[in-house]
Amino acid sequence: FCPIAMNSALEKNVNLLKNLTGMDKVRYALSGSEAVDAALKDIKASCKNKPLIVRFTSAYHGHVSGVSFIDCENHIFLPECSQSSIDFIERYHYRIAAVIVN
């Protein structure tokens, strides 16, 4: 999060999210597209040994600036609400950097 925009309500929410998730940091975004864009860039920078990103065929994840969703060989598109998707994720978890859900 950006400390310049910090206020008491935001600080309360940050602390609540940190306590609920056990995470050390929280990042706020102005839109879902911006949040997905930042997450994908973080994944690309930090998960070099896990090349795959799982997405679902009927899901919309916004417009992003740094990732081509049309021709992205490391993005795996799976059917939503499907046992075969769960099976794939379980089978290849060691190669999956992220699973993006709605």
Side-chain angles (χ1 to χ4, degrees):
F1 67 94
C2 177
I4 296 169
M6 184 60 80
N7 59 51
S8 60
L10 183 58
E11 186 173 7
K12 179 181 174 185
N13 287 337
V14 166
N15 289 328
L16 179 63
L17 287 169
K18 287 169 55 177
N19 290 334
L20 285 171
T21 63
M23 297 292 189
D24 295 330
K25 297 179 182 180
V26 173
R27 177 182 291 185
Y28 274 88
L30 298 176
S31 70
S33 295
E34 186 179 291
V36 170
D37 189 34
L40 289 172
K41 288 176 183 175
D42 285 348
I43 291 161
K44 186 176 180 181
S46 63
C47 295
K48 303 289 186 196
N49 62 336
K50 293 185 173 188
L52 302 178
I53 295 173
V54 172
R55 298 174 55 212
F56 295 97
T57 53
S58 60
Y60 173 72
H61 302 296
H63 293 86
V64 295
S65 61
V67 176
S68 169
F69 279 162
I70 305 300
D71 185 27
C72 209
E73 66 185 42
N74 66 330
H75 287 215
I76 304 296
F77 291 85
L78 299 176
E80 240 178 309
C81 301
S82 167
Q83 185 60 47
S84 65
S85 297
I86 299 298
D87 294 343
F88 180 91
I89 292 167
E90 288 177 345
R91 186 176 311 116
Y92 296 105
H93 65 89
Y94 63 94
R95 297 192 67 216
I96 297 172
V99 178
I100 301 176
V101 296
N102 287 347

